[in-house]
Amino acid sequence: MNKVILLLAFFLGGFLSTADAQKGKKNNPSDKIADKKAKDILAGVSKKYKSYNVIKAEFTFTLENTAEKTTDSYTGILFVKPSGNKYKIDLNKQEIISDGKSTWTYLKDAKEVQVNVVETGDDAINPAQIFTIYEKGYSYIFVEEKNIKGKMCQVIELTPTNKTKNIFKARLIIDKTLKQLVEIKLFEKNGNRYNYSVKNMTANPKVDDQFFTFDKKKYPGVDVIDLR
């Protein structure tokens, strides 16, 4: 499940700011046009999401293990407050809460919560940086427009410039009208495929800053392991 969280962070950290995203060089003029189109699409998504105070996203995560020919699925809810890097992720067996300084990982079955300092640095993964990280270390290109379940969607592919990364490609599907992320699929070198489908997204749900902290009083009988 921890890998699910990290990949969710990758998923949410991949796509918003367009200031300096294009790292790859393209020699084909049609590729440059495609890159410009991708940049304009992402800029539209960026503008919309940056206008929100808090974002709530209900999602389904599916792992396709091609080697073992198995498929596992999870559902969850994410709340993000970009100001202050605050977030909360609620999964079936875990809750992860961060106020921007500390992170609480609540293991529901074990009735245990682990407290850590929020990691910083270029390699740190933080879901609160929703739609902002792709400006560093990724090239991107517009692929196509297609109708998906009655909605016109735009497909963009991201490629990390660091070729040692296990994830070698991410495919974004964006609702053209709403300028909202519909789905992302991550491709690993080992053949695994990770698919995140956003079932519902709500702008500015009514939650206060205390929502992004762990209140032990609301979790009776839970052991707190402070690793800070």
Side-chain angles (χ1 to χ4, degrees), residues 14-69:
F15 349 101
L16 183 68
S17 174
T18 58
D20 190 30
Q22 180 57 39
K23 303 292 183 180
K25 297 292 185 179
K26 300 290 191 303
N27 295 320
N28 190 324
S30 64
D31 286 341
K32 292 182 180 180
I33 294 172
D35 292 345
K36 173 63 165 58
K37 187 175 181 68
K39 182 177 181 179
D40 290 344
I41 293 169
L42 293 169
V45 175
S46 169
K47 183 178 180 180
K48 183 164 187 176
Y49 282 103
K50 282 183 176 179
S51 69
Y52 300 150
N53 181 47
V54 177
I55 300 168
K56 175 185 177 182
E58 300 175 31
F59 65 90
T60 298
F61 164 82
T62 302
L63 164 61
E64 302 173 31
N65 187 321
T66 56
E68 298 181 6
K69 297 182 179 180

Side-chain angles (χ1 to χ4, degrees), residues 96-133:
I96 302 177
I97 306 169
S98 180
D99 63 358
K101 298 178 181 179
S102 298
T103 300
W104 295 265
T105 302
Y106 171 43
L107 308 176
K108 298 179 182 180
D109 289 346
K111 299 201 75 173
E112 174 184 293
V113 61
Q114 299 175 359
V115 192
N116 290 277
V117 174
V118 171
E119 293 184 15
T120 59
D122 293 339
D123 295 329
I125 299 175
N126 188 338
Q129 296 169 339
I130 186 169
F131 311 123
T132 60
I133 295 175

Side-chain angles (χ1 to χ4, degrees), residues 140-158:
Y140 56 83
I141 189 167
F142 173 78
V143 178
E144 63 177 340
E145 287 190 5
K146 64 179 181 179
N147 191 301
I148 300 177
K149 297 180 181 180
K151 297 180 180 179
M152 186 55 64
C153 295
Q154 298 165 312
V155 182
I156 294 174
E157 287 191 353
L158 302 178

